[in-house]
Amino acid sequence: MNTEVASLRKDVFLRHDTSEGNVGQALQHLKDTCHRMELEAMQFRAVSAETYMRRDSYYKAMGELKLDVKDAFEKIDKRLERMEDTMAANRKEDRA
């Protein structure tokens, strides 16, 4: 009977130690994860502070960008028209 109790006691203590170790590892993992998330949040704050743009500045920049794109397309259209005119003139010369 004493050996049976001793065996059960040993088994209980072993399971308790194993569970305690598992909980300790899980808590350490959670701490590491929280720490990593804090670091990533700090990095995000630093990057967003550098790249932040006020709304009015954003709208102004977008307006300038739209004008630049519009001007570029107008230049392309004019150049295409000149090319078409040149090609049409060359065709007329070839036929004559």
Side-chain angles (χ1 to χ4, degrees):
M1 179 90 158
N2 284 340
T3 58
E4 213 174 289
V5 171
S7 175
L8 288 174
R9 180 179 280 176
K10 183 179 177 182
D11 187 44
V12 167
F13 283 138
L14 181 63
R15 288 182 186 202
H16 177 266
D17 289 344
T18 303
S19 296
E20 200 172 60
N22 290 342
V23 168
Q25 289 176 355
L27 288 175
Q28 186 60 44
H29 179 70
L30 285 173
K31 284 181 188 178
D32 292 343
T33 302
C34 289
H35 182 68
R36 184 175 40 81
M37 289 172 61
E38 287 174 343
L39 289 176
E40 289 174 2
M42 288 179 4
Q43 289 173 345
F44 175 76
R45 264 189 248 137
V47 169
S48 64
E50 292 174 2
T51 59
Y52 174 76
M53 183 183 281
R54 293 176 48 97
R55 183 178 293 184
D56 55 344
S57 298
Y58 170 78
Y59 287 129
K60 182 179 176 185
M62 287 304 297
E64 292 172 0
L65 178 64
K66 287 178 182 179
L67 286 175
D68 289 345
V69 169
K70 182 180 176 186
D71 291 343
F73 276 112
E74 286 176 2
K75 288 179 183 178
I76 290 171
D77 285 339
K78 288 178 184 177
R79 183 164 184 169
L80 287 174
E81 286 174 14
R82 286 195 317 263
M83 290 171 67
E84 288 172 351
D85 292 343
T86 303
M87 290 170 61
N90 288 340
R91 276 193 218 123
K92 286 180 184 178
E93 289 175 6
D94 289 342
R95 289 182 188 163

